[in-house]
Amino acid sequence: MKKNSLTQQLLNRHQLKALSERQDALQQWFGSEVGQTFLGEQQRMLNDQLETLFGYHLMQLSVLPDICLYDNSRAQHSFSIELVPSAASTGAVIAHEAHLPIENDALDIAIVHHLLDFSPSPHELLKEVQRVTRPGGHILIMGFNPLGALGAMSFFGNLSGHAFWNNRLLSARRLADWLTLLDLSVQQVNYGYYRLPIKTHLLRGVSSRLEQLLQKRQPSLGAGFYSLLAKNEYAALTPHKPRWHKQRPMMLSPSPYSPSKSSKTIH
């Protein structure tokens, strides 16, 4: 029996296209009036969070190749890795999300900006970010909140076939469950953008009053995005040196080394 078009769209809504196929749509939305206001609120929240994080190396991963979110960071060395080449990629490091060209435990801070919303393999991306973050390091994840107005628009927009709405939104609670499996503990979850994502002047007054009501309490319901701060609790094990006795034994066998975090081969 042939499936009707609506049924087929519902079945295909979780089949994400490559990020490169949606780059133009992402740039267009974030460059719009609504998108710029959205980004501005995210940047203010990030600035406050980065002031409390210390370290030497900071990495940014974002769906937007020409954005810099870490200007307020105290890290001595900050850089961005792009997953999709662009015209503005001069001198930038470009990599695949499942194969970051960074050694194990090298980073103090990692920013993941909306990539989990649009990644075809979010689990692999999280594993890779955890691999390159040192024990005790922090990961800041920003994503669209499925329990807000943008989340509802995403659900119905996915049916339209528009590239921007071709995403898979995770709630902060579900993301926290994923992080626990990777020895990442959630330190803080903040919510923002309680406005209605509209341009109509008639409804802006209603949106403004709603924002003032919810901004102080920061409930998950109604927020446009969340910002989740996680800490890498992975305990790196140090190899133990064999103990040598003063009297030479008949036979010496080297002590086994403790297992350490496995490194992945970058192709």
Side-chain angles (χ1 to χ4, degrees), residues 51-85:
E51 282 187 350
T52 66
L53 302 179
F54 302 90
Y56 189 82
H57 297 292
L58 178 149
M59 174 191 69
Q60 172 186 292
L61 295 173
S62 175
V63 292
L64 302 174
D66 56 350
I67 193 174
C68 177
L69 300 168
Y70 49 77
D71 280 341
N72 210 49
S73 172
R74 298 187 180 186
Q76 299 181 49
H77 176 223
S78 302
F79 62 96
S80 177
I81 291 184
E82 298 178 12
L83 303 183
V84 178

Side-chain angles (χ1 to χ4, degrees), residues 19 37 49 54 66 82 101 125 196 214 225 230:
L19 187 59
T37 304
Q49 292 173 317
F54 302 90
D66 56 350
E82 298 178 12
L125 173 60
L196 297 175
L214 299 176
F225 70 88

Side-chain angles (χ1 to χ4, degrees), residues 9-10 13 149-162 165:
Q9 286 175 320
L10 288 170
R13 66 181 302 267
L150 281 169
M153 291 177 66
S154 176
F155 178 84
F156 292 104
N158 216 321
L159 301 179
S160 69
H162 193 278
W165 301 114

